[in-house]
Amino acid sequence: MDISTPSTTPKYSSSPVMMNSNPNSAAPTTVSAISSTPSRYENQKRRDWNTFCQYLRNHKPPLSFPRCNGTHVLEFLCYLDQFGKTKVHHQTCQFFGHPKPPALCPCPLRQAWGSLDALIGRLRAAYEAHGGKPEENPFGARAVRIYLREVRDFQAKSRGVSYTKKRKRTSKQAEGNNGTTTS
């Protein structure tokens, strides 16, 4: 084949071509490819993963991910507290236990328990998505679970909010509450 002569092979577009259902029209209809954009959750998970990896790189001394454990995850969570927006009253504060304090106090702003819990959930999923074994996942370490429970309980007491776990109702309890019985 001579390089100077143009190729006779047809050029195809990247989008698929479908025949138009209108028999009077001779032009084929093109259908644009459906772009699969990541969900909000997937974007957030990727950002959280990148933030944690950046934290490990900036750690003194820098840490490689295989050497990371639950202690490093706890350090990361404590590091994030400086960016929190939830007022957490000290036990000595006059507003300790008040959900809506009437005045300002010098108590620190922290990450809310719900935000930390969701973050750990996304990081656990990201770890496994990057090839980590579930049984070696540092985000699922016992120390991390205990820390989250303590944060939840302390923030609940501090802010006067109760986090009581709701029990699932059995079918018999649900029937009794509805006033209907099945025979």
Side-chain angles (χ1 to χ4, degrees):
M1 177 178 199
D2 186 6
I3 297 176
S4 62
T5 60
S7 172
T8 58
T9 59
K11 300 209 185 228
Y12 296 102
S13 69
S14 61
S15 57
V17 175
M18 291 178 42
M19 294 307 293
N20 193 341
S21 60
N22 184 355
N24 297 333
S25 173
T29 305
T30 60
V31 177
S32 62
I34 298 172
S35 61
S36 60
T37 57
S39 67
R40 181 173 181 240
Y41 171 79
E42 290 296 326
N43 283 332
Q44 217 169 2
K45 185 170 75 169
R46 180 182 39 79
R47 281 193 309 267
D48 293 340
W49 181 257
N50 291 339
T51 301
F52 184 72
C53 290
Q54 181 69 37
Y55 173 78
L56 291 179
R57 283 191 295 272
N58 292 338
H59 192 271
K60 301 292 184 215
L63 285 170
S64 63
F65 198 80
R67 296 186 55 212
C68 176
N69 59 33
T71 305
H72 300 112
V73 174
L74 293 177
E75 289 174 5
F76 176 65
L77 295 178
C78 291
Y79 160 77
L80 289 179
D81 266 345
Q82 66 183 319
F83 307 110
K85 298 176 185 170
T86 301
K87 179 72 79 169
V88 179
H89 300 286
H90 292 293
Q91 290 179 335
T92 57
C93 178
Q94 61 182 345
F95 302 125
F96 183 82
H98 293 280
K100 296 179 183 175
L104 295 176
C105 68
C107 294
L109 294 174
R110 301 273 172 96
Q111 288 288 338
W113 165 77
S115 299
L116 294 177
D117 189 47
L119 171 72
I120 290 299
R122 289 189 301 269
L123 287 172
R124 284 180 74 173
Y127 176 83
E128 293 175 17
H130 284 86
K133 296 178 183 175
E135 60 273 5
E136 296 174 3
N137 194 331
F139 302 104
R142 184 173 188 269
V144 174
R145 291 193 315 267
I146 291 170
Y147 175 79
L148 287 175
R149 190 177 317 125
E150 289 174 354
V151 167
R152 181 194 65 196
D153 293 345
F154 184 76
Q155 286 187 6
K157 290 176 189 170
S158 167
R159 301 176 63 223
V161 179
S162 65
Y163 288 112
T164 55
K165 190 171 186 179
K166 294 180 182 177
R167 286 188 249 158
K168 291 184 180 180
R169 298 190 317 177
T170 63
S171 60
K172 289 183 181 180
Q173 288 176 337
E175 289 172 4
N177 290 341
N178 291 336
T180 61
T181 57
T182 57
S183 301

